[in-house]
Amino acid sequence: MSAIANAIEQYKQTLPNGVELIAVSKTFPKEDIEEAYAMGQRHFGENKVQELTDKATALPSDIKWHMIGHLQTNKVKYIAPFIHLIHSVDSQKLLETINKEAIKNNRTINVLLQVHVAQEETKFGLLPTELYQLLDSQEWQKLTNVRICGIMGIASFTADEQQIRKEFDTIHQIFLTCQKQYFANAEYFREISMGMTSDYQIAVEYGSTLVRIGNGIFGKRYYQV
Ligand SMILES: *Cc1c(COP(=O)(O)O)cnc(C)c1O
């Protein structure tokens, strides 16, 4: 078995029920995705619109594509026809653009709100107070073709496990608060996207439902994006 096939098998066997494996294929070639696909993997994540649309065009149409990187409003139209889930929504304006493009494509687009809890200033996402402001405004309620399915977050890039635990716990608490205050009757508000190769096991302990694994499946990336 190839290293990719073997890794997919390992993750499938060890992830608990209810946790979806998203294979983060950014920077890796289509052949690598095909290997994972042959093992039954269907959820793939990318962080750049151009790369995402190129791969989606060339690869089987039953792949569920996840946009996990920062998304500019002027690029939403390229992914709106097919995207399965956008993890990285960080503004009302982006929500409105996604809604508009979803209407044009006669579909509903599922999204997550990205919350910033990490120590690094470079990470995108809404601060918790901004997240609650956005939801408090109720403007999102008017958007007929976008469905907010949960919360996404990234922990600090650190070897300090206690810090990572603290941040995943915070994301989980934010999810619970949102669920109670804004989505009490919405069964679809149930996703917590957190955990990458180095920290997914901790993320799962804190209630992650979507783990985003790149290096652990495809090997080392030789350039950082
Ligand atoms: C690249 C990336 C991942 C995957 O990271 P690995 O360390 O390769 O598992 C997960 N989430 C986001 C947002 C990413 O950009």
Side-chain angles (χ1 to χ4, degrees):
M1 227 193 301
S2 76
I4 292 172
N6 195 47
I8 294 284
E9 187 114 314
Q10 291 297 320
Y11 281 107
K12 285 200 168 156
Q13 277 172 13
T14 53
L15 284 172
N17 282 337
V19 180
E20 193 75 61
L21 173 64
I22 301 174
V24 176
S25 46
K26 67 186 187 199
T27 77
F28 294 102
K30 297 182 188 91
E31 292 72 29
D32 288 0
I33 298 177
E34 280 163 346
E35 272 188 45
Y37 183 90
M39 293 301 293
Q41 179 65 26
R42 290 296 178 272
H43 292 261
F44 291 89
E46 291 281 338
N47 70 340
K48 292 219 158 63
V49 167
Q50 180 74 53
E51 188 175 347
L52 173 52
T53 51
D54 286 350
K55 285 174 173 172
T57 306
L59 290 161
S61 60
D62 64 340
I63 288 181
K64 296 181 192 319
W65 291 102
H66 295 252
M67 176 59 188
I68 62 171
H70 183 63
L71 180 59
Q72 291 171 279
T73 51
N74 62 343
K75 294 199 173 157
V76 173
K77 58 177 177 286
Y78 302 115
I79 61 169
F82 67 87
I83 198 73
H84 177 68
L85 180 64
I86 300 173
H87 293 231
S88 43
V89 172
D90 59 1
S91 71
Q92 175 65 27
K93 185 168 157 243
L94 185 54
L95 270 183
E96 281 169 19
T97 307
I98 294 168
N99 187 57
K100 198 174 74 189
E101 297 298 331
I103 291 169
K104 280 189 200 161
N105 285 281
N106 198 22
R107 62 190 297 249
T108 295
I109 296 181
N110 292 325
V111 305
L112 306 177
L113 297 175
Q114 182 175 354
V115 64
H116 175 108
V117 299
Q119 293 168 311
E120 293 99 331
E121 280 188 21
T122 52
K123 298 258 163 79
F124 292 107
L126 296 151
L127 294 172
T129 51
E130 295 170 330
L131 173 71
Y132 295 128
Q133 269 166 24
L134 186 153
L135 291 169
D136 273 336
S137 85
Q138 301 288 329
E139 288 298 310
W140 57 277
Q141 300 264 31
K142 301 174 190 157
L143 306 176
T144 52
N145 289 49
V146 40
R147 188 189 290 134
I148 300 172
C149 298
I151 300 295
M152 181 270 224
I154 304 172
S156 295
F157 184 71
T158 174
D160 181 352
E161 187 182 317
Q162 287 317 313
Q163 180 66 25
I164 295 171
R165 286 187 177 276
K166 207 173 85 190
E167 291 173 4
F168 284 151
D169 188 37
T170 300
I171 296 167
H172 184 221
Q173 294 306 327
I174 290 170
F175 166 81
L176 291 175
T177 301
C178 292
Q179 189 177 48
K180 190 163 146 228
Q181 289 197 16
Y182 307 98
F183 298 95
N185 299 310
E187 47 78 33
Y188 55 81
F189 190 88
R190 60 175 172 221
E191 305 295 350
I192 307 178
S193 168
M194 59 184 190
M196 316 184 3
T197 301
S198 59
D199 58 18
Y200 78 94
Q201 282 153 316
I202 305 173
V204 166
E205 281 184 52
Y206 289 89
S208 174
T209 65
L210 299 164
V211 291
R212 311 178 306 266
I213 310 286
N215 290 305
I217 294 171
F218 296 108
K220 220 170 154 46
R221 271 187 303 276
Y222 290 98
Y223 56 100
Q224 198 60 46
V225 286

